[in-house]
RNA sequence: UGACCCGUGGUGUAAUUGGCAACACAUCUGAUUUUGGUUCAGAAGAGUCCAGGUUCGAGCCCUGGCGGGUCAA
C-alpha cells in the first residue's frame, strides 16, 4: 500500500514541484495549505496577499490530481512566531522568525493539524535533503544542505529534531532551482512562473519599522560614532598562543572518527587541508600595555567629554551612569582585509595564502579566555562622538547600514552595537570597522540544539565545525567548546555582524549537526 | 577691540591660472534575499550666505553686510 504524505503546499513553485514529485514516486499525496497570517498592517504587497496563493495552490493540486485542504494556523503562528519576534526586538536582539516558523509551525503545529489525515510523512518544498542510517539498532536522520548552493535552506531548519525529521520528506533538495522551475513548466503547474517569495514567511514583505511599531514604541535616542582607531580596539587578546598545524590536524581526525563511529559512512571532513591553513599566521597580539591602557580609559570616563554632556542633557539623562559600565575584556580583532572572501570554502582561501591577520587560539583556552573572545564590546558615550538621532535602538541590528539617516561621512556607517536600555546606538565607519567583527560567540546551555543528538558534545569537549551565523552567509571554520557555562564558538577568523538572537548552525561536510540561538 | 580664516545639494568635502558645480555619506527606487543584515544597480537633489561691482563669462577677483571660527589682548 502506498505511503501517504501530507505536503505543505504554499502556492509557490517549490512546494508545487515537491507535491508533483511525490505523486510521481507513488505516494498518496494530500496537499494542505497553511493560513498563518491575516493582518495586512505594514505589509507591502497589499495586492498580493495569501488569498492569491491559495488559488495557485488549489490549481496546482487539481493539476496534479491530489486532494486539497486548508488549515488555519494563524493563532499559533501569532503566538509562537510573531510574538516571539516582537519580544526579541524589544530586547534589542535580532530574531529569525523563519527559523522559528519552521520549528514551531511547519514542523509542529502543521504536523499536529494534519494528523487527522494519518500521513506517514509530511513534506515541504525546502531546499535541503534528508538522509538516514542505522546505528545500534536506531535510525539516525541527517539534515543535509540542498544541492543548489544559491537556494540552500537547511539553515532555516536548524532547529528541527530527530523526531521531526523522522516524519519529513524534502523532495526537491537534490534539485537546482532552475530544474524545479523547468519541471513546473513541463507539468504546466500554475505556479511555474510565480516569483520566489520574500520577506518573513507567511507575513510577506513588510515595512519593518512600521510593522514593529504596532507593538514597539519608537523613542528618540542618540547615535554615537566610535572612531576606527579607538583605543578600545588596540587591546589584543595577547594570551592567545599559536596553534600548530599538528594540533589542528588532531582535531580533524577526532571529528572524523566521531563521524565514522556514528554514521558508518566514514566521511572525512572536507577541510583536511585546514591544518595548512592555520600555518603561517602569526598571532598579532598587543603589547604589555594592556592593563595600563584599560585603567587609563576607565579613569578617563569620569570626565565624560563635552559633546556628550550636550547630548545627554537633551536626553535628560545623567551621564554619570556611564561610568559604571567600564571596559570589559576586549575581543581580538584583525588587522585589515576583513572583507568576506567569497571563496566557497576555507580550503580555497588558504590557497591564496594571504590570510587576514587573525590570531590563533591556544589549544585549551580557559573559560575566561573563551568568554572574553565571545563578549561584545560595551561602548560608552565617551568612547565616541555624537552623530545623530534614531527612533529607537531596538529597530536596529548589528551590521545594519540602512536607515541610520546619518550622512556626511566618507564611508557608510554601520551599527556596531545597540543599547536598548539606554536607547543608544553605536556606529562605526566603513565596512571593515573593527567594531563590526568578533571572534567568538556564546550560546546558553539550554539553547544548544543537536539535530544529531547522537553527536552532542560533552562538557569539556572541543570540536571543529563549519559554522554559519546568518542565512546565506558563508560557512566559516570554527571551534566549538562546550563548557558548563554553555557553548563557545570561536572562529578562525573574526566574523562580521554577530547578532544576538540569530541562530548559529554548525555543519560537517554538508550536514547540519546542530544549532543554537546566539546569546551574545 | 585689532589681525586672520571660512560660509557650496540633507550632511561632510571638491572644483586646473575665473568658463555655468564633482565626490562621499544620507535619501528614494529597483535587483538579490522566506530574517529590512549585507551586497548590487539606478534616480532624484544645490546653481555655490546676502547685496552690489569688475569681466564676454565668477563658487572662484573687488566692496559692503550677515553668519561661524581662529589668533591676538
Amino acid at each position: 500500500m502506498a505511503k501517504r504524505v501530507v505536503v505543505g503546499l504554499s502556492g509557490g513553485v517549490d512546494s508545487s514541484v515537491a507535491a508533483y514529485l511525490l505523486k510521481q514516486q507513488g505516494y498518496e499525496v494530500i496537499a494542505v495549505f497553511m493560513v498563518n497570517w491575516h493582518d495586512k498592517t505594514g505589509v507591502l504587497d497589499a495586492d498580493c496577499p495569501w488569498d492569491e496563493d491559495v488559488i495557485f495552490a488549489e490549481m496546482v493540486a487539481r493539476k496534479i490530481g491530489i486532494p486539497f485542504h486548508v488549515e488555519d494556523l494563524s493563532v499559533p503562528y501569532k503566538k509562537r512566531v510573531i510574538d516571539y519576534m516582537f519580544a526579541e526586538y524589544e530586547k534589542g536582539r535580532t530574531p529569525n522568525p523563519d527559523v522559528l516558523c519552521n520549528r514551531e509551525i511547519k514542523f509542529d503545529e502543521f504536523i499536529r493539524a494534519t494528523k487527522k489525515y494519518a500521513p506517514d510523512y509530511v513534506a515541504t518544498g525546502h531546499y535541503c535533503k534528508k538522509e538516514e542510517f542505522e546505528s545500534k539498532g536506531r535510525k539516525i536522520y541527517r539534515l543535509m544542505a540542498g544541492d543548489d548552493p544559491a537556494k540552500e535552506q537547511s539553515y532555516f531548519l536548524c532547529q528541527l529534531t530527530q523526531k521531526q525529521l523522522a516524519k519529513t520528506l524534502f523532495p526537491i533538495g537534490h534539485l537546482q532551482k532552475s530544474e524545479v522551475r523547468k519541471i513546473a513548466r513541463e507539468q504546466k503547474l500554475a505556479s511555474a512562473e510565480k516569483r520566489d517569495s520574500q520577506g518573513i514567511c507567511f507575513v510577506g514583505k513588510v515595512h519593518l519599522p512600521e510593522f514593529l511599531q504596532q507593538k514597539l514604541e519608537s523613542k528618540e535616542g542618540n547615535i554615537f560614532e566610535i572612531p576606527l582607531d579607538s583605543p578600545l580596539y588596540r587591546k589584543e587578546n595577547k594570551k592567545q598562543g599559536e596553534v600548530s598545524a599538528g594540533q589542528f590536524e588532531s582535531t580533524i581526525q577526532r571529528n572524523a572518527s566521531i563521524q565514522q563511529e556514528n554514521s558508518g559512512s566514514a566521511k572525512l571532513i572536507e577541510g583536511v587541508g585546514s591544518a595548512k591553513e592555520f600555518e603561517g599566521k602569526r598571532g598579532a597580539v598587543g603589547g604589555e600595555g594592556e592593563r595600563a591602557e584599560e585603567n587609563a580609559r576607565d579613569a578617563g570616563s569620569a570626565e565624560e567629554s563635552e559633546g556628550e554632556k550636550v547630548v545627554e542633557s537633551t536626553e535628560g539623562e545623567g551621564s554619570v551612569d556611564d561610568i559604571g559600565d567600564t571596559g570589559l575584556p576586549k575581543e581580538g580583532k584583525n588587522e585589515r582585509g576583513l572583507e568576506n572572501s567569497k571563496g566557497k570554502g576555507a580550503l580555497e582561501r588558504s590557497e591564496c595564502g594571504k590570510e587576514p591577520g587573525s590570531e590563533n587560539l591556544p589549544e585549551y583556552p580557559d573559560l575566561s579566555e573563551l568568554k572574553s573572545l565571545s563578549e561584545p564590546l560595551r561602548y560608552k558615550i565617551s568612547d565616541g562622538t555624537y552623530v545623530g538621532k534614531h527612533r529607537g535602538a531596538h529597530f536596529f541590528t548589528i551590521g545594519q547600514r540602512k536607515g541610520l539617516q546619518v550622512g556626511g561621512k566618507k564611508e557608510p556607517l554601520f551599527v556596531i552595537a545597540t543599547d536598548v536600555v539606554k536607547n543608544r546606538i553605536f556606529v562605526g565607519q566603513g565596512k571593515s570597522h573593527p567594531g563590526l567583527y568578533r571572534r567568538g560567540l556564546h550560546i546558553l546551555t539550554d539553547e544548544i540544539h543537536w539535530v544529531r543528538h547522537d553527536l552532542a558534545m560533552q562538557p569539556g569537549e572541543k570540536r571543529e565545525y563549519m559554522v554559519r551565523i546568518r542565512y546565506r552567509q558563508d560557512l566559516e571554520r570554527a571551534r566549538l567548546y562546550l563548557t558548563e557555562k554553555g557553548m563557545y564558538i570561536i572562529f578562525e577568523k573574526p566574523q562580521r555582524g554577530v547578532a544576538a538572537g540569530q541562530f548559529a548552525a554548525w555543519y560537517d561536510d554538508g550536514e547540519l549537526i546542530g544549532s543554537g540561538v546566539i546569546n551574545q
Side-chain angles (χ1 to χ4, degrees), chain A residues 22-43:
Chain A
L22 288 170
K23 172 90 177 181
Q24 286 302 295
Q25 287 158 24
Y27 289 99
E28 177 191 346
V29 184
I30 298 172
V32 176
F33 180 90
M34 278 175 256
V35 180
N36 288 339
W37 194 246
H38 298 286
D39 190 2
K40 294 191 178 71
T41 317
V43 179

Side-chain angles (χ1 to χ4, degrees), chain A residues 400-425:
Chain A
Q400 182 167 341
R401 167 179 176 174
K402 290 291 174 184
L404 282 167
Q405 297 181 300
V406 178
K409 302 294 179 180
K410 192 138 202 154
E411 291 192 82
L413 296 175
F414 293 89
V415 175
I416 59 177
T418 61
D419 180 340
V420 287
V421 177
K422 292 172 182 160
N423 199 30
R424 294 175 188 145
I425 293 178

